[in-house]
Amino acid sequence: MARATGRRKTAELSALAPILVIVGMKREAACAAGEGVMTLCSGANVARLRQALDALGGTDFSAVVSFGLAGGLDYALAPGHVVVADAIVGGDARRDTHSRLSSVLMKGAAAAGCKVTPGAIIGVDQPAMHPAAKAALREGAQAVAVDMESHIAEEFARRRDLPFVALRAISDPAARALPPLVAKALTPEGDIHALGVARELIRGPHQLGGMIRAGLDSRAAFVSLSRCGPLLGPLLRLVLADL
């Protein structure tokens, strides 16, 4: 009986459509890559992400996940802290994520050794670079973190009537400003634009200290993403097979 149940569960998992994981950077995609997962990288460009999602046409998915770095809005969240969204704020709308899948991700992230908290994530079309901008988002949206993909990913999932969750690791904390060149640091494909960063540093060498701090913060965040990313496919697909 147990063997038959195991074979049936394996068949159910194999029959599931892939999980769509939406990220901003290729490095984030690498953390999430695995069996049953398809990643889509925005290159931190909202218009490009919308176009890429439209181009998916009738491709079937079993769920949608927003995954990657986030800016902290809550002062209690340090670099590397993981936020599993209980709601996504986009524009004037606030929508809940899938509670069962979010609960599984919370437990999985904690078991992987990450500091993890639930909370609302606000999605924006332009990066929040300064503490004042982050404070305004925190107060206006009652959110704990900000990114540039979650609102678009949630919208896509809702149109497709798919379960949606978001897991984000804090990179830049609420009290820290990002140097201006960060906004130009990615290629359209989601790679670090090394030559572009070097040129900006030559023009504005005062940004070097901020870039070093941002690099250390993102390193802590990527440690958490590397722990949580491999969980996405196995954990979520097990739950999805029972939904």
Side-chain angles (χ1 to χ4, degrees), residues 82-140:
V82 170
V83 175
V84 175
D86 55 21
I88 300 297
V89 181
D92 295 328
R94 185 186 191 93
R95 295 185 173 89
D96 292 340
T97 58
H98 193 281
S99 59
R100 187 172 172 190
L101 294 182
S102 295
S103 176
V104 167
L105 285 183
M106 285 275 296
K107 294 174 182 175
C114 298
K115 293 182 179 179
V116 57
T117 188
I121 293 176
I122 180 169
V124 295
D125 291 355
Q126 298 295 329
M129 305 284 285
H130 304 286
K134 295 177 184 178
L137 291 172
R138 180 181 65 251
E139 298 303 322

Side-chain angles (χ1 to χ4, degrees), residues 86-225:
D86 55 21
I88 300 297
V89 181
D92 295 328
R94 185 186 191 93
R95 295 185 173 89
D96 292 340
T97 58
H98 193 281
S99 59
R100 187 172 172 190
L101 294 182
S102 295
S103 176
V104 167
L105 285 183
M106 285 275 296
K107 294 174 182 175
C114 298
K115 293 182 179 179
V116 57
T117 188
I121 293 176
I122 180 169
V124 295
D125 291 355
Q126 298 295 329
M129 305 284 285
H130 304 286
K134 295 177 184 178
L137 291 172
R138 180 181 65 251
E139 298 303 322
Q142 296 298 296
V144 301
V146 56
D147 67 47
M148 294 180 62
E149 290 83 33
S150 287
H151 60 315
I152 308 300
E154 187 280 331
E155 178 186 285
F156 175 81
R158 185 161 31 88
R159 289 202 311 266
R160 294 287 195 95
D161 195 25
L162 294 170
F164 174 78
V165 289
L167 184 152
R168 291 276 168 165
I170 299 300
S171 180
D172 52 300
R176 184 159 300 159
L178 291 171
L181 69 83
V182 167
K184 305 175 183 178
L186 285 185
T187 68
E189 295 74 31
D191 289 311
I192 296 295
H193 189 356
L195 182 58
V197 169
R199 286 172 177 165
E200 290 296 319
L201 284 174
I202 291 171
R203 295 189 185 108
H206 62 281
Q207 299 183 79
L208 179 59
M211 282 299 294
I212 292 173
R213 287 192 297 273
L216 293 173
D217 290 344
S218 68
R219 181 183 300 176
F222 273 112
V223 168
S224 295
L225 293 182

Side-chain angles (χ1 to χ4, degrees), residues 13 16 19 21 32-37 105 228-240:
L13 290 174
L16 279 174
I19 296 167
V21 179
E35 183 179 355
V37 168
L105 285 183
C228 296
L231 304 175
L232 296 179
L235 277 181
L236 296 184
R237 284 166 64 83
L238 279 174
V239 178
L240 289 166

